[in-house]
Amino acid sequence: MEAIAPGVPVHVISSAHNQGLEELAPYLRPGSTVALLGSSGAGKSTLINRLYGQEIQLTGGIREGDDRGRHTTTHRELVVLPQGGLLIDTPGMRELQLWEAEDGLSASFRDIEELSEQCRFQDCLHAKEPGCAVKAALAGGTLSRSRYDNYLKLRRELAYFARKENKALQSAEKTKWKKLSQSAKQRQDFY
């Protein structure tokens, strides 16, 4: 995980064995709010129960056969912890979508952005262009292929959402002009 998201703290914990929970204390101080996101049955409610110190959230058992948790949370809930922090328990999510995340992409992949600035050409696609610093870093092993692939995947997702948003704006604009045109035609037919 640290290789995928440099600078992002990674804490290995186990709610089932009460291990590593003390590492979360700095995030759960008075005045701070933490949201738990994850798949259904991942253990978000179990974690809240451990951090709270008693069973306040409904949890399901582990399914036999695949040892996966069961979906139990059906709504968002704000939990005030005894130590003063706030936790938001959420239902399991099937997917998270990016929204205006261009700045976050640049911050998360600052190393790749900096390499891109060193390319010979400003519009380098990091494919076949000579003097590409990103290709050189990949070939030299200073940039991992999986990290670069994650960067490309997020860039593609951001581009998709931008196109989707533009189509929605274009559709709204088209509808507006269609209504104006119909209104003008009705007035012309009236006279």
Side-chain angles (χ1 to χ4, degrees):
M1 287 303 298
E2 289 171 342
I4 293 171
V8 176
V10 176
H11 305 288
V12 179
I13 63 166
S14 170
S15 296
H17 298 102
N18 281 331
Q19 294 176 337
L21 300 181
E22 64 281 351
E23 293 184 41
L24 303 180
Y27 306 102
L28 304 170
R29 297 183 312 252
S32 66
T33 304
V34 174
L36 300 178
L37 305 174
S39 302
S40 293
K44 298 178 296 294
S45 296
T46 300
L47 177 59
I48 285 179
N49 289 340
R50 296 303 176 269
L51 293 170
Y52 194 85
Q54 66 186 62
E55 303 291 316
I56 60 167
Q57 298 294 86
L58 180 64
T59 60
I62 302 294
R63 289 191 305 240
E64 288 188 33
D66 65 1
D67 291 329
R68 295 186 62 134
R70 293 188 177 132
H71 172 80
T72 54
T73 303
T74 58
H75 62 282
R76 279 178 238 109
E77 185 172 345
L78 183 65
V79 176
V80 180
L81 295 172
Q83 62 267 35
L86 301 174
L87 277 175
I88 301 174
D89 192 11
T90 62
M93 298 185 179
R94 289 190 180 93
E95 71 176 350
L96 294 175
Q97 292 188 354
L98 301 171
W99 191 351
E100 296 185 25
E102 192 66 43
D103 291 340
L105 180 72
S106 294
S108 297
F109 294 95
R110 188 174 318 280
D111 55 338
I112 297 174
E113 297 279 331
E114 289 173 359
L115 283 170
S116 296
E117 292 171 6
Q118 297 171 24
C119 291
R120 182 186 301 172
F121 302 106
Q122 260 187 325
D123 61 348
C124 184
L125 299 175
H126 320 303
K128 297 180 181 178
E129 299 86 355
C132 175
V134 173
K135 282 188 346 187
L138 287 167
T142 57
L143 175 61
S144 78
R145 171 55 64 181
S146 63
R147 179 161 174 72
Y148 183 62
D149 288 345
N150 285 336
Y151 171 76
L152 292 177
K153 181 180 177 187
L154 286 173
R155 277 190 48 194
R156 283 192 304 270
E157 288 180 19
L158 285 174
Y160 167 78
F161 287 117
R163 285 191 308 274
K164 187 175 173 182
E165 186 174 302
N166 283 344
K167 285 181 183 177
L169 292 174
Q170 290 170 3
S171 176
E173 187 75 0
K174 184 177 177 181
T175 301
K176 177 182 97 174
W177 284 106
K178 186 175 180 180
K179 286 180 182 178
L180 286 172
S181 175
Q182 289 172 344
S183 176
K185 186 175 183 221
Q186 287 174 348
R187 274 186 268 136
Q188 184 181 19
D189 290 344
F190 180 75
Y191 295 112

